[in-house]
Amino acid sequence: MAEGRMPERARLERPRGDRGDRERNQALAALTLDPGSLQPAPRLARRKTEKIRGKHAALCFATMAVMLGLPLWWKTTETYRAALPYSQIGHLDSMLLRLRVPVSVVFIQGSLPIVDQQKLPFTVVNERDVPLKCKMKLKCRFQLAYRMAGSHEEKAFKKDTIEEAEAALPLPKEDTLGSLNIFVIPEKSSLLPKDKMSYIGPKRTAFVRGTQVRQALTVMGQRILQVAQSMSLTDEVLAAALGDRLPEDKVSLDKRRPLKSSLGYEITFSLLNPDPKSHEVHWDIEGAVENYVQPFLSLLSVVGNFSMDSQILYYAMLGVTPRFDAASSSYTLAAYSLPHVINPVEARLGSRATSLYPVINFLLYVPERAHSPLYIQDKDGARVATNAFHSPRWGGIMVYNVDPSAYNTTKYPVKVDVDMVPVMEVFLSQMRLLFGIPPPQMPENFLLGDPPREGLRSWEVDRLVWARTVENVATVVTTLTSLAELLDKIGNIVIKDNVASEVYRAVDAIQEAVVELSAGNLELAFRYSREAVTSSEKAFFDPSLLHLLYFPDDQKFAIYIPLFLPMAVPIFLSMIKIIVENQKARKDIEKVD
Amino acid sequence: VAMAAPLVLHLLLALLLGSGGRSGAEPERDSLREELVLTPLPSGDVSATFQFRTRWDSELQLEGVSHYRLFPKVLGQLISKYSVQELHLSLTQGFWRTRFWGQPFLQAPAGAELWVWFQDSVVDVDKSWKELSNILSGIFCASLNFIDSTNTVTPTASFKPLGLANGTNHHFLRYAVLPREVVCTENLTPWKKLLPCSSKAGLSVLLKAERLFHTSYHSQAVHIRPVCRDAHCVSVSWELRQTLTVVFDAFTTGQGKKDWSLFRMFSRTITEACPLASQSHIYVDISRNSQENETLEVSPPPTSTYQAVVLGDRRTYAVYDLLNPATFSGSRSLNLQLRWKQFQDIGYIHYQPAQDRLRPHLLEMLIQLPANSVTKVSIQFERALLKWTEYTPDPNHGFYVSPSVLSALVPNLVGAKPANWEESPLFSTMFPVSDSSSYFVRLYTEPLLVNLPTPDFSMPYNVICLTCTVVAVCYGSFYNLLTRTFHLEEPKRSRLVRWLANIIRRIRGVPPV
């Protein structure tokens, strides 16, 4: 094969050398002048060189297009996508969330058999799995640190009543958010009424009656655990936090009432006076806010920022006409019509112009004279004692009837001074429900201490913070996983550096929060979880994600084709030609062989 | 708001505190005054200017928790959050024609105008301005969010603060106009919501959107500024003025008569005053009455009149006090009417508005023209985009509006005898004329060629295709040149060709092939 080609090559060398125009013209002239002297061999050779040169040029084009054109096109039309921690986000989905509740258990002299007393101090850990529908795992871990009481504490229990004893107790070393102090008092102690087993105070303190039976520590452990659980991570708290992640049988509609976790809340008190011609209503909202609402909210300030304002709206009507009840000569709003009450009023309430926090509305409605007195009926047709109702995640409405004796006058409008105490009682209990702090439900043999002046027990706030932290963690996990999934699925989305950094920040914060939760530092964990929520929401709702979303592929190709088609077709055709020729040549050679 | 449940209260809260028993003896800290000025304009139109002024005796910025009564909460929050010193926002449709309508009380440019003085505590004025305009855009449903650095200016001499001001460092002033803004019902509704009596009582009852936007001029505005609380000016009050000016075309609403009434203009009447207002007046400009001795008549007769020099002119107003029960004593509602005593005949006007794609406009007027006078009849129209299939193949040529027709009976200069209609020449009996003292003429004007805006229908794709074709052609020839092999073919000539070639060669003196 090689031998066959060699002479041909040699002959080719020469004509390649003299390719000057003049020479070629002379050759042409010679050809035309003297056809007889035509030598077929050099002509064939020249044609072949031309062909090979064409082939090389075509190959050159193809390589240029592939090596230079395609990368250039790719690079210039590429969407910028910063790297994201996909694997870490993937792990979040199936992580283990361990909630550690540090409980210090203090035994007063005589509350335990002597044998058991000698075993103190030591620490017991009790862990409980919470079944979830998703891949995440949740464990509640109560860490009970047993010890004997010190002399100061002993002294406090010499008092007569339980409240005094509680007040006399020295401030515990660890009175942080989420921690609990449980004191075990002697079985025969008169501090607790006979039928009560335990007492839960307004702070993070509880008293449990001791026992002298055998295996006293095991028995006590169960009792203490029950108390600790009802002060921190009850089923209600978890249900409020996890919502639909819990299996269906654990969630009832009632538990979905609380407001979503947010950095802040705006509370608006509105007085609706639909009939200013008959009523001149005055309410002392300044005093009420100062005396009732602000102390209450100052306790909740851990959970978020609160801002308040009030307004009076005139000619603001309810959306439904109340029914006249002849028997009691009063008007009634039936339970089924209550959902229609809010919408028309809401148009007047004013938009939340200056902040993005959720607004909680509390409306005090003074019915017009033609419709008063007005009473709200519940589902069974009975009057609601408070004459109020609330709508989850929106707020509450209370109807305030004007004293009918006020109408015995000829001078209109009638002056109405609103008694703010019952109104604020209703609004504050509605506020508890809206924030997810329902009135605690304790077993029969538990004695519940009165709440302090401000209206909230410390451990109730703790329960709320537990719920909010777990909710935040769950929200962030959902947000991040769905964001990662979305970005992974749609390649068109631009991922800018700031979005990526928010995602990284959220992932870091959520991991910190999980670590702090398992270490029992509720406050820190809550702070981290809030940070994670902020960052993840910022990343998820970043407007830059939408920039290139609306360029479907078919439109892109409509733009590309007029350029790419005429460019690519000659290259492809010559490639095909070269391949076909090569195959043909190989076949010829095989034939020759 | 999906679900509402009656609340069964657990009165666990021990609200042991004494009731905050401050009685309502303290004076109200805010007041509302409302006013409507009706002015018959020289052109025969009627202008109505509403002003609602809410004054709030409160240092807005200093308080943590604000309590609002008459002052709208939304605006109050806005002022305190962005430390606004003064805010002036107007939304206007149409243009105040001073030549025909005289001086306005408060003119505003067409579109949206916003100018704000910030307090000197504001650090980043531009940022506050941007956020403020965005929020205002949300509140008033206007596209104020398009205000950015490209259309914002800081005037140094004009636009001084209208209210109390410590300093006038123009660094804290921002001014922007959006002339394209179209004002419509969705801007009026939030504006009305700011009124304490909403649109349920008092003058605001008249604010019916479908009538207010059926006018030649509509301008609504919000002005917020600090004012002195009393004569000593020790403390500051906030004043919110909501103004609304409309100019009604009295001819079209009144079937060619200049008379008007509240009901005819607003299709509402006033039944009661706003109980929250401390003052509620209607003023009707009757200045022309005194000049041209009793040319117009207002009913019901006003309780009092008010004279003042307004805009450099002595004016007389008939005053109606809505808070005075006597105003409503005659009937249950107040329907203010104005009638011109000297009936000015403007003939007959028939107008049939067009319906898109169904029928054209028709306007017929019967006018008696004075001698040696010029009468101009002009019609405003708007250029609109057609649907893209409705354009003719040469849309840039324009669209024709048919000529207008003038039919007139012109008095004869010379007296003529009544001619026999049958026997007269045909050219003189085209139009039957009953009276020989005048003759009939019908004139036509030129058709009007209107250039409508025409979109360039396929420009972008054309450009792409053209460029790509040019590139492809260059590339193709280049490619061919480089990859094709060019070589000489053996000349295979037929006998005829060779014969022809030989003839040519012989002529040229070249030896034949």
Side-chain angles (χ1 to χ4, degrees):
Chain A
M1 215 164 89
E3 288 157 346
R5 270 194 172 178
M6 273 308 276
E8 239 181 57
R9 267 269 170 89
R11 256 182 289 160
L12 282 175
E13 299 300 355
R14 265 194 40 240
R16 208 184 257 173
D18 45 28
R19 219 186 272 159
D21 272 356
R22 199 192 295 158
E23 278 156 311
R24 195 189 287 172
N25 282 349
Q26 279 172 359
L28 283 176
L31 282 176
T32 36
L33 279 175
D34 189 9
S37 66
L38 205 75
Q39 294 287 324
R43 245 180 69 197
L44 213 71
R46 188 169 295 148
R47 201 189 280 179
K48 220 159 199 177
T49 30
E50 280 285 297
K51 241 183 184 169
I52 285 167
R53 189 188 56 78
K55 228 185 242 179
H56 284 173
L59 280 174
C60 217
F61 263 97
T63 36
M64 288 271 271
V66 173
M67 304 287 288
L68 214 73
L70 275 183
L72 196 72
W73 167 69
W74 190 255
K75 203 75 202 159
T76 45
T77 58
E78 189 188 38
T79 48
Y80 180 73
R81 288 166 73 84
L84 288 184
Y86 286 110
S87 68
Q88 289 185 47
I89 294 173
H91 288 313
L92 285 183
D93 201 21
S94 54
M95 71 178 172
L96 166 70
L97 193 59
R98 186 175 272 136
L99 313 176
R100 180 166 165 261
V101 187
V103 187
S104 95
V105 183
V106 182
F107 289 91
I108 306 296
Q109 278 300 336
S111 59
L112 265 190
I114 309 289
V115 195
D116 288 324
Q117 274 188 24
Q118 283 161 353
K119 294 179 192 160
L120 300 178
F122 67 96
T123 301
V124 181
V125 172
N126 179 291
E127 201 163 74
R128 174 169 74 106
D129 267 321
V130 180
L132 291 182
K133 273 202 295 189
C134 53
K135 274 192 275 176
M136 217 164 89
K137 284 190 203 65
L138 187 66
K139 285 187 174 170
C140 299
R141 189 191 180 108
F142 290 92
Q143 187 164 331
L144 311 173
Y146 290 162
R147 68 174 169 90
M148 285 305 292
S151 58
H152 285 291
E153 289 154 340
E154 291 288 351
K155 213 190 278 170
F157 284 91
K158 299 284 188 297
K159 300 276 183 194
D160 294 335
T161 64
I162 200 145
E163 283 86 8
E164 282 174 26
E166 197 186 356
L169 275 175
L171 278 177
K173 268 180 283 172
E174 273 186 69
D175 189 35
T176 51
L177 218 60
S179 67
L180 296 173
N181 298 298
I182 296 177
F183 293 89
V184 183
I185 55 173
E187 197 177 3
K188 297 282 176 320
S189 169
S190 60
L191 285 174
L192 277 175
K194 285 244 167 59
D195 55 333
K196 301 289 180 187
M197 257 343 251
S198 1
Y199 163 83
I200 297 178
K203 297 235 181 71
R204 299 183 176 91
T205 322
F207 299 147
V208 183
R209 208 186 273 279
T211 181
Q212 294 291 341
V213 294
R214 277 179 50 201
Q215 297 287 323
L217 277 176
T218 328
V219 176
M220 282 318 299
Q222 283 309 314
R223 278 187 204 170
I224 290 163
L225 205 63
Q226 196 189 2
V227 172
Q229 217 173 70
S230 56
M231 287 174 80
S232 56
L233 294 165
T234 56
D235 286 341
E236 294 157 44
V237 168
L238 293 173
L242 293 162
D244 46 5
R245 281 180 196 79
L246 286 178
E248 269 84 3
D249 55 313
K250 292 230 172 185
V251 190
S252 69
L253 202 64
D254 212 35
K255 304 267 162 56
R256 293 192 187 171
R257 240 185 232 149
L259 283 157
K260 281 262 170 209
S261 176
S262 158
L263 294 184
Y265 301 91
E266 252 183 73
I267 298 171
T268 303
F269 295 96
S270 306
L271 171 68
L272 307 188
N273 183 1
D275 191 6
K277 268 181 86 175
S278 321
H279 302 140
E280 189 190 322
V281 186
H282 177 268
W283 68 338
D284 180 31
I285 187 69
E286 286 97 333
V289 163
E290 204 176 297
N291 292 329
Y292 307 125
V293 187
Q294 268 175 347
F296 181 84
L297 291 181
S298 68
L299 290 183
L300 281 180
S301 60
V302 202
V303 182
N305 304 320
F306 293 94
S307 63
M308 269 178 287
D309 43 33
S310 79
Q311 61 180 347
I312 302 181
L313 296 174
Y314 298 93
Y315 292 102
M317 313 275 186
L318 296 185
V320 285
T321 321
R323 217 153 22 89
F324 183 65
D325 181 26
S328 58
S329 71
S330 63
Y331 291 82
T332 51
L333 275 177
Y336 65 83
S337 65
L338 293 181
H340 309 288
V341 163
I342 295 171
N343 283 355
V345 173
E346 193 163 24
R348 285 287 307 276
L349 288 180
S351 47
R352 39 183 136 160
T354 46
S355 82
L356 297 172
Y357 295 148
V359 180
I360 312 165
N361 289 292
F362 292 101
L363 311 187
L364 184 67
Y365 182 77
V366 182
E368 56 262 66
R369 198 187 153 207
H371 285 156
S372 61
L374 177 68
Y375 295 102
I376 296 174
Q377 276 183 345
D378 62 13
K379 285 199 180 86
D380 309 325
R383 263 185 206 172
V384 177
T386 52
N387 220 3
F389 68 96
H390 84 282
S391 172
R393 294 185 183 176
W394 182 82
I397 297 187
M398 181 182 178
V399 177
Y400 187 90
N401 284 314
V402 176
D403 184 12
S405 64
Y407 295 126
N408 297 334
T409 169
T410 49
K411 196 175 154 282
Y412 281 99
V414 176
K415 262 206 159 175
V416 181
D417 255 319
V418 178
D419 182 9
M420 292 308 279
V421 179
V423 173
M424 279 298 145
E425 267 178 10
V426 170
F427 282 169
L428 284 188
S429 14
Q430 285 178 339
M431 214 180 279
R432 283 178 72 112
L433 291 176
L434 289 166
F435 280 115
I437 322 170
Q441 280 156 355
M442 292 292 163
E444 279 281 292
N445 55 358
F446 276 36
L447 182 67
L448 203 61
D450 282 333
R453 250 174 70 98
E454 294 85 359
L456 269 183
R457 301 175 183 90
S458 302
W459 52 269
E460 281 181 313
V461 178
D462 287 2
R463 284 198 339 189
L464 180 65
V465 178
W466 278 115
R468 284 292 148 89
T469 315
V470 176
E471 186 191 343
N472 283 349
V473 171
T475 317
V476 171
V477 170
T478 322
T479 315
L480 285 180
T481 39
S482 51
L483 179 67
E485 203 175 301
L486 184 81
L487 293 179
D488 206 32
K489 209 187 265 174
I490 306 177
N492 254 353
I493 297 183
V494 182
I495 307 174
K496 284 195 173 173
D497 282 336
N498 64 331
V499 175
S501 72
E502 290 295 346
V503 172
Y504 272 105
R505 203 170 298 153
V507 170
D508 287 347
I510 194 79
Q511 283 168 347
E512 291 279 359
V514 171
V515 169
E516 294 299 340
L517 270 181
S518 62
N521 298 332
L522 183 57
E523 197 167 356
L524 265 180
F526 179 63
R527 205 176 302 153
Y528 280 125
S529 75
R530 261 193 355 186
E531 216 170 276
V533 167
T534 322
S535 295
S536 64
E537 301 276 295
K538 220 187 255 175
F540 193 84
F541 292 106
D542 196 277
S544 72
L545 294 183
L546 294 177
H547 280 174
L548 286 182
L549 207 53
Y550 300 107
F551 287 104
D553 284 342
D554 49 343
Q555 289 186 15
K556 262 194 262 179
F557 283 110
I559 304 291
Y560 286 146
I561 277 179
L563 181 67
F564 281 10
L565 204 65
M567 287 239 174
V569 166
I571 294 182
F572 273 118
L573 286 183
S574 30
M575 286 297 109
I576 291 168
K577 204 173 145 197
I578 289 171
I579 292 168
V580 169
E581 271 178 14
N582 272 357
Q583 276 175 353
K584 213 168 140 196
R586 199 174 293 164
K587 258 183 204 162
D588 286 351
I589 288 163
E590 273 167 15
K591 253 183 216 168
V592 170
D593 285 353
Chain B
V1 183
M3 194 201 99
L7 165 72
V8 184
L9 243 193
H10 306 262
L11 285 171
L12 285 160
L13 291 178
L15 294 164
L16 307 164
L17 316 167
S19 78
R22 266 192 285 163
S23 67
E26 57 180 306
E28 296 296 357
R29 293 191 304 161
D30 38 13
S31 60
L32 169 74
R33 282 171 60 186
E34 53 177 17
E35 192 177 285
L36 166 64
V37 183
L38 292 161
T39 318
L41 299 173
S43 65
D45 300 331
V46 184
S47 94
T49 305
F50 292 86
Q51 284 215 27
F52 301 89
R53 177 198 196 238
T54 311
R55 212 186 83 163
W56 190 19
D57 298 339
S58 158
E59 308 263 339
L60 206 48
Q61 276 84 19
L62 302 178
E63 284 167 333
V65 184
S66 329
H67 303 283
Y68 300 90
R69 198 177 82 97
L70 296 178
F71 203 88
K73 187 183 76 147
V74 190
L75 294 182
Q77 282 180 339
L78 205 67
I79 295 171
S80 51
K81 175 147 191 212
Y82 293 104
S83 301
V84 172
Q85 170 84 19
E86 250 182 53
L87 185 147
H88 302 270
L89 166 71
S90 73
L91 298 165
T92 308
Q93 187 76 45
F95 181 75
W96 183 277
R97 315 218 162 254
T98 316
R99 189 142 52 106
F100 308 112
W101 298 341
Q103 294 288 328
F105 291 117
L106 184 70
Q107 205 193 343
E113 181 203 38
L114 175 68
W115 57 286
V116 177
W117 274 93
F118 290 95
Q119 293 181 353
D120 45 15
S121 56
V122 179
V123 183
D124 190 349
V125 180
D126 286 316
K127 186 167 164 272
S128 297
W129 167 248
K130 180 80 201 151
E131 287 179 18
L132 181 73
S133 53
N134 271 311
I135 287 171
L136 283 173
S137 137
I139 294 176
F140 292 101
C141 296
S143 16
L144 298 170
N145 51 329
F146 288 107
I147 291 179
D148 53 19
S149 60
T150 58
N151 47 24
T152 301
V153 289
T154 304
T156 52
S158 193
F159 295 101
K160 292 287 171 219
L162 297 182
L164 283 178
N166 287 335
T168 52
N169 180 356
H170 61 82
H171 175 68
F172 296 103
L173 169 66
R174 291 291 179 277
Y175 175 88
V177 176
L178 298 174
R180 274 201 67 166
E181 182 68 20
V182 179
V183 185
C184 202
T185 326
E186 77 265 18
N187 306 114
L188 182 71
T189 312
W191 186 90
K192 276 201 295 196
K193 259 200 267 178
L194 300 176
L195 296 171
C197 274
S198 193
S199 51
K200 300 278 173 32
L203 293 178
S204 45
V205 171
L206 300 177
L207 301 171
K208 197 177 170 189
E210 55 195 85
R211 306 298 301 191
L212 293 182
F213 289 102
H214 208 79
T215 50
S216 322
Y217 178 79
H218 172 108
S219 171
Q220 59 182 75
V222 171
H223 303 277
I224 302 172
R225 61 178 176 186
V227 293
C228 286
R229 193 169 297 181
D230 46 28
H232 303 297
C233 209
V234 182
S235 44
V236 172
S237 297
W238 284 90
E239 185 198 69
L240 164 69
R241 258 179 212 246
Q242 290 179 255
T243 64
L244 183 119
T245 308
V246 282
V247 174
F248 286 95
D249 190 342
F251 288 115
T252 47
T253 51
Q255 284 97 43
K257 288 179 185 168
K258 278 169 85 178
D259 302 350
W260 53 260
S261 68
L262 284 186
F263 186 75
R264 203 181 274 169
M265 289 193 293
F266 299 102
S267 75
R268 297 265 177 95
T269 54
I270 297 174
T271 50
E272 55 178 341
C274 172
L276 307 166
S278 56
Q279 194 190 58
S280 182
H281 283 168
I282 299 181
Y283 294 91
V284 183
D285 189 343
I286 48 168
S287 319
R288 283 206 268 168
N289 211 3
S290 48
Q291 289 160 11
E292 300 159 30
N293 48 49
E294 298 289 311
T295 50
L296 44 81
E297 178 189 302
V298 211
S299 72
T303 45
S304 62
T305 55
Y306 171 76
Q307 285 204 338
V309 176
V310 181
L311 299 168
D313 202 6
R314 184 166 295 281
R315 303 274 183 95
T316 314
Y317 293 97
V319 184
Y320 297 86
D321 186 357
L322 296 186
L323 290 177
N324 183 356
T327 312
F328 297 102
S329 60
S331 61
R332 285 189 57 209
S333 68
L334 175 70
N335 181 21
L336 214 56
Q337 291 184 16
L338 184 133
R339 219 169 287 130
W340 293 88
K341 276 185 180 165
Q342 288 177 344
F343 189 66
Q344 291 163 316
D345 185 24
I346 41 126
Y348 165 84
I349 294 181
H350 171 67
Y351 175 63
Q352 186 188 40
Q355 284 176 355
D356 276 356
R357 295 167 186 98
L358 282 181
R359 65 170 196 215
H361 289 276
L362 171 67
L363 174 67
E364 281 183 293
M365 285 191 276
L366 189 59
I367 316 169
Q368 184 136 30
L369 298 180
N372 278 330
S373 66
V374 176
T375 302
K376 273 189 192 167
V377 178
S378 59
I379 295 158
Q380 280 189 350
F381 61 88
E382 282 173 7
R383 293 157 199 269
L385 278 172
L386 298 177
K387 287 183 183 167
W388 72 277
T389 46
E390 288 170 352
Y391 282 96
T392 51
D394 55 345
N396 287 312
H397 177 77
F399 289 78
Y400 285 97
V401 178
S402 38
S404 45
V405 188
L406 183 75
S407 314
L409 272 177
V410 185
N412 274 332
L413 290 178
V414 286
K417 268 185 276 175
N420 190 338
W421 203 61
E422 272 305 321
E423 288 171 15
S424 303
L426 290 176
F427 66 80
S428 63
T429 55
M430 183 63 211
F431 298 108
V433 180
S434 57
D435 183 11
S436 59
S437 66
S438 56
Y439 61 94
F440 182 82
V441 183
R442 180 167 289 157
L443 301 172
Y444 294 88
T445 63
E446 272 184 285
L448 186 65
L449 184 58
V450 183
N451 256 321
L452 286 191
T454 39
D456 185 352
F457 296 101
S458 57
M459 195 265 270
Y461 197 67
N462 287 352
V463 169
I464 291 171
C465 286
L466 190 74
T467 351
C468 291
T469 314
V470 169
V471 170
V473 165
C474 295
Y475 160 83
S477 36
F478 191 58
Y479 187 86
N480 276 342
L481 208 66
L482 288 179
T483 56
R484 291 286 160 96
T485 50
F486 298 95
H487 54 84
L488 274 173
E489 257 328 299
E490 179 86 9
K492 281 178 194 162
R493 292 167 184 163
S494 66
R495 203 175 289 168
L496 181 72
V497 174
R498 188 181 292 175
W499 180 71
L500 272 175
N502 282 346
I503 289 173
I504 296 168
R505 278 165 175 266
R506 200 167 297 153
I507 292 167
R508 287 173 59 199
V510 184
V513 182

